[in-house]
Amino acid sequence: MDLYEYQGKELLRSYDLETLPGIVAGTPEEAARAAETLGGTVAVKAQVLIGGRGKAGGIAVVHSAREAREAAERILGMDIRGHTVRRVYVEGGAEIEAEYYLSITVDRAAKRPLILFSTEGGVDIEEVAETKPEAIVRTHVDPLLGLLPYQVREIVFAAGLEGDAAKGVGRTLNNLYRAFEGLDASLVEINPLVLTKDGRVLTLDSKVTVDNSSLYRHTDIAELHDVEAADPQEQRAQEVGLQYVKLDGNVGILGNGAGLVMSTLDVVAQAGGEPANFCDVGGGADAEKISEALDIVTSNEQVESVLFNIFGGITRGDEVARGLLSAIERTGIGLPIVVRLDGTNAEEGRRILAENTPENVHTEETMLDAARRAVELARGARDSNGGR
Amino acid sequence: MAILVDDGTRLVVQGITGREGAFHTGRMLESGTNVVAGVTPGKGGQNHDGVPVFNTVHEAAEETGANASVIFVPPPFAADAIFESLDSGMKTICCITEGIPVHDMMRVADFIETKDATLIGPNCPGVLSPGKANVSIMPRDIFTPGKVGVVSRSGTLTYQIVNELTQRGIGQSTAVGIGGDPIIGTDFIEILGKFEEDPETDCVAMIGEIGGNAEQLAAEFVRSQMKTPVVAYIAGFTAPEGKTMGHAGAIVSGGESTAEAKSEALRGAGIRAATNPSEVAELVAEALGG
């Protein structure tokens, strides 16, 4: 789960990371009031869950309440790479001496936290990695031991820091690692981390991603989930424990297991079709969950046909068949549905379907045939609808 | 022969009395797996499908000589179940549980380095050696004994490919689902190494997906260390960037994590890379024939 800058900063403050004072605003008036409260030069920053807002014009440095209002008027509602700005963060200013980069991520290959620090902050770190890799200090942390004092010293010395900068960055490193652990984060990134002219080290921007699998033990963070930013169907799917992703085509896809679903998307594309969305019912879905999933997939108006691809392991074919039939009965879905059912209890599932096949349900033996059929039916539906 | 699990496997099922644990214990027994014990804290002394249930893995190991475990414990308690298994001397541990926090898994991955044990998963379908042992949730009917090793990050996609192989009359030595999470116990490379050493595996089918760079690392291993031919397939050619595609680990977050980049790296290492599951079976047939 990605957090907005202002949410991330609030959490980081509780781990003693220093930030500038800031106020969230949802309207130009609120932004003006915030600028007045903070006083002096302030930054008006678009709150979006995607990078590149600076380049897109989503940050303005202003000197009065009037300017803050104007900037917020311009930035609120702005579209930044597909994300609508609905809030700005108005933040006090500071006199900056130097800009650093600091992040902690999960290194999948090493299976450990990885700290990246660079004195070349404020810019895209991937660019630094490419043009000046020696400017990045990389340190793996043993998750059972935690970040050790000598490692902090190594990082600070390797970066060539001294005095206030060395002390401040060292303190920040310790606090950020505590935050990374305590928040169950998969990423905490501060870019830039700044050294001010008066010797303080401040978190100027923050990116915090919390591991979704850990949210059960972070109910306060789970509540920060931005319902407005999510697609309504994605939101509904999440509430019932399904994985749903909206795409742009007209074939709705329902399957079990991430790999099979991704492969189904690929095969539909190879058959000349375009997936409208997909819903992964995961492992061990019962009839109720299957029924819910079908409902979510078909509630997307782009969908002209549904491809139902289940290869049961922990999921049982009879449950799948019952769920499918009950969803059709309950909601009266008339869209063509192509079913391909294999694996655990698949025979019983196929028998249940054969006994009660509604008119709009077609069964196919293989994944490839099922994909072709679904693409064909979607095309047919589109033609007969005059390309709705 | 086979890898990881075989006739010598003495299995303990952690979470044997839960919905999934109970169901799949029955299926593992039907496959002829030597399930010697089950563990559910507080239910020790009971019996499940003729399998004695214990309160702890230590107790189960002492009483039955178990040497492998399969875990069906809910996510908040699953990492602890892995630690328990490791401390009780289990040599092969398959963790089926999906949704274990990444930080928990980093601690597990760290601890396991001090033990002589192999963790498969989590968020995986387990390991099945047809005709020998089934330590998995995989549907056994689709398998047939033979000489193709299968290793995959995905569960259901593994079934799809095994099914395609079997329908072509191509049997399998062992199928291993390594799991779709960002942090897993055993990577492609370790499994590929075991298949390379297995005299009865003549070809390996490797099934990857978007996210991370495990497939690229595997490609380099195949190129430099393996004589056994490898056929690969990466799912997720059409996955958009920045969206988690079902598996916590399946997200395109940069150029190298796309299906295309991975397929290219595989081909660059001389590996036959398929574009859909049916083609995998075709390429395996080709590799075995040549």
Side-chain angles (χ1 to χ4, degrees):
Chain A
M1 179 182 159
D2 294 333
L3 300 179
Y4 288 107
E5 176 195 5
Y6 73 92
Q7 297 171 330
K9 279 185 174 164
E10 197 179 320
L11 290 168
L12 293 181
R13 274 195 289 273
S14 66
Y15 288 90
D16 305 319
L17 281 129
E18 273 194 76
T19 60
L20 290 164
I23 298 167
V24 185
T27 64
E29 289 67 38
E30 282 174 19
R33 267 202 302 280
E36 211 166 275
T37 309
L38 295 168
T41 301
V42 297
V44 179
K45 301 156 94 177
Q47 297 298 292
V48 277
L49 298 175
I50 194 149
R53 63 179 177 175
K55 278 182 201 155
I59 298 178
V61 175
V62 300
H63 309 281
S64 69
R66 186 179 52 80
E67 280 179 28
R69 179 197 305 271
E70 283 165 12
E73 262 167 18
R74 183 173 59 75
I75 294 171
L76 287 166
M78 192 182 235
D79 180 279
I80 298 178
R81 296 172 67 195
H83 293 243
T84 307
V85 181
R86 283 177 295 102
R87 271 181 294 272
V88 291
Y89 191 49
V90 184
E91 198 178 46
E95 288 200 65
I96 294 167
E97 175 77 29
E99 296 192 318
Y100 311 131
Y101 173 95
L102 172 61
S103 71
I104 311 177
T105 54
V106 174
D107 183 338
R108 291 166 61 153
K111 304 176 190 181
R112 292 181 164 210
L114 172 64
I115 297 177
L116 297 182
F117 180 79
S118 174
T119 48
E120 312 262 322
V123 290
D124 190 352
I125 195 67
E126 276 161 27
E127 220 174 283
V128 180
E130 228 165 75
T131 54
K132 217 176 158 190
E134 71 281 1
I136 300 175
V137 185
R138 305 162 61 93
T139 308
H140 281 107
V141 181
D142 182 322
L144 291 176
L145 294 177
L147 179 62
L148 298 168
Y150 89 84
Q151 293 183 298
V152 175
R153 292 197 300 274
E154 278 190 352
I155 294 168
V156 167
F157 285 121
L161 299 179
E162 291 172 348
D164 285 343
K167 264 189 226 149
V169 168
R171 209 168 34 238
T172 306
L173 268 166
N174 280 315
N175 290 335
L176 192 66
Y177 190 80
R178 275 200 301 126
F180 175 73
E181 249 189 1
L183 298 172
D184 265 298
S186 45
L187 166 73
V188 287
E189 183 182 65
I190 305 177
N191 188 23
L193 177 73
V194 299
L195 173 68
T196 62
K197 289 215 159 52
D198 57 359
R200 291 185 300 156
V201 172
L202 303 178
T203 295
L204 214 61
D205 191 6
S206 82
K207 194 171 172 209
V208 177
T209 305
V210 176
D211 172 22
N212 283 334
S213 295
S214 77
L215 288 176
Y216 73 86
R217 58 189 179 204
H218 297 283
T219 44
D220 53 330
I221 297 174
E223 275 170 22
L224 298 178
H225 177 66
D226 191 350
V227 181
E228 288 169 65
D231 175 271
Q233 277 129 6
E234 285 181 14
Q235 177 60 24
R236 192 175 141 206
Q238 198 182 1
E239 277 163 17
V240 293
L242 296 164
Q243 167 88 22
Y244 173 90
V245 173
K246 191 185 168 303
L247 301 162
D248 296 323
N250 62 353
V251 180
I253 291 168
L254 191 155
N256 65 321
L260 185 66
V261 168
M262 275 188 276
S263 183
T264 309
L265 298 175
D266 293 348
V267 172
V268 164
Q270 284 167 11
E274 273 182 65
N277 55 26
F278 74 79
C279 189
D280 175 5
V281 300
D286 56 12
E288 200 182 321
K289 219 166 180 181
I290 296 283
S291 160
E292 189 78 39
L294 189 65
D295 217 22
I296 290 169
V297 165
T298 53
S299 63
N300 175 342
E301 287 191 358
Q302 281 166 243
V303 174
E304 308 275 13
S305 75
V306 178
L307 172 51
F308 200 95
N309 188 17
I310 300 282
F311 209 124
I314 205 160
T315 308
R316 304 167 204 176
D318 51 327
E319 291 274 349
V320 171
R322 273 191 277 274
L324 174 64
L325 291 176
S326 90
I328 292 174
E329 199 182 292
R330 186 164 51 79
T331 60
I333 296 163
L335 287 168
I337 300 173
V338 181
V339 181
R340 181 282 179 129
L341 194 55
D342 244 317
T344 305
N345 294 2
E347 263 168 53
E348 202 187 330
R350 282 194 288 256
R351 189 184 51 74
I352 293 169
L353 283 182
E355 279 170 9
N356 310 280
T357 313
E359 254 179 45
N360 56 331
V361 175
H362 312 264
T363 53
E364 290 289 348
E365 292 272 311
T366 72
M367 178 165 153
L368 211 55
D369 288 339
R372 286 185 186 131
R373 186 78 177 270
V375 171
E376 223 169 80
L377 288 164
R379 206 170 281 147
R382 171 158 290 180
D383 292 347
S384 65
N385 280 345
R388 152 180 108 180
Chain B
M1 259 182 79
I3 66 165
L4 295 166
V5 299
D6 56 26
D7 312 329
T9 299
R10 295 177 64 78
L11 186 68
V12 52
V13 180
Q14 291 177 255
I16 192 168
T17 55
R19 179 179 184 262
E20 306 305 340
F23 179 75
H24 288 283
T25 297
R27 294 174 63 87
M28 289 186 281
L29 285 166
E30 283 166 26
S31 314
T33 311
N34 198 5
V35 182
V36 296
V39 169
T40 298
K43 297 202 173 165
Q46 295 185 4
N47 238 288
H48 178 86
D49 270 357
V51 176
V53 179
F54 298 90
N55 286 320
T56 68
V57 180
H58 265 123
E59 208 183 330
E62 255 166 48
E63 299 287 325
T64 66
N67 57 15
S69 69
V70 60
I71 296 174
F72 291 96
V73 171
F77 319 110
D80 185 49
I82 300 172
F83 283 125
E84 182 180 7
S85 220
L86 285 167
D87 273 339
S88 307
M90 298 303 111
K91 296 294 173 209
T92 301
I93 302 164
C94 290
C95 185
I96 309 296
T97 309
E98 176 176 359
I100 304 179
V102 171
H103 283 254
D104 291 7
M105 277 315 300
M106 284 198 286
R107 285 187 274 271
V108 167
D110 208 18
F111 183 65
I112 204 167
E113 283 181 24
T114 67
K115 300 277 175 181
D116 175 26
T118 302
L119 169 68
I120 304 295
N123 190 12
C124 83
V127 184
L128 191 152
S129 300
K132 298 194 173 83
N134 174 9
V135 181
S136 81
I137 55 169
M138 299 192 240
R140 72 186 157 106
D141 308 346
I142 60 172
F143 287 84
T144 188
K147 301 206 157 191
V148 176
V150 178
V151 57
S152 169
R153 262 168 78 180
S154 151
T156 46
L157 190 52
T158 312
Y159 316 158
Q160 177 67 33
I161 296 207
V162 166
N163 198 41
E164 305 251 9
L165 289 171
T166 297
Q167 282 176 351
R168 279 182 164 258
I170 302 171
Q172 306 84 35
S173 53
T174 301
V176 186
I178 58 172
D181 275 2
I183 305 285
I184 50 176
T186 304
D187 286 318
F188 280 124
I189 290 176
E190 293 156 86
I191 303 297
L192 289 169
K194 288 184 197 291
F195 277 133
E196 176 71 8
E197 281 167 27
D198 178 21
E200 291 184 9
T201 295
D202 291 348
C203 176
V204 179
M206 174 180 133
I207 321 301
E209 59 192 32
I210 56 164
N213 67 343
E215 290 81 359
Q216 280 91 334
L217 298 174
E220 177 50 29
F221 178 81
V222 172
R223 194 191 59 74
S224 59
Q225 311 279 329
M226 284 183 78
K227 291 198 178 69
T228 311
V230 175
V231 170
Y233 168 59
I234 309 291
F237 283 94
T238 48
E241 189 173 338
K243 293 247 185 194
T244 303
M245 303 294 279
H247 278 160
I251 178 165
V252 173
S253 53
E256 74 166 3
S257 60
T258 65
E260 232 147 89
K262 292 184 178 209
S263 298
E264 243 168 65
L266 292 162
R267 289 201 185 97
I271 298 167
R272 297 168 173 86
T275 55
N276 64 57
S278 310
E279 205 187 334
V280 175
E282 280 166 37
L283 294 178
V284 167
E286 215 179 276
L288 289 170

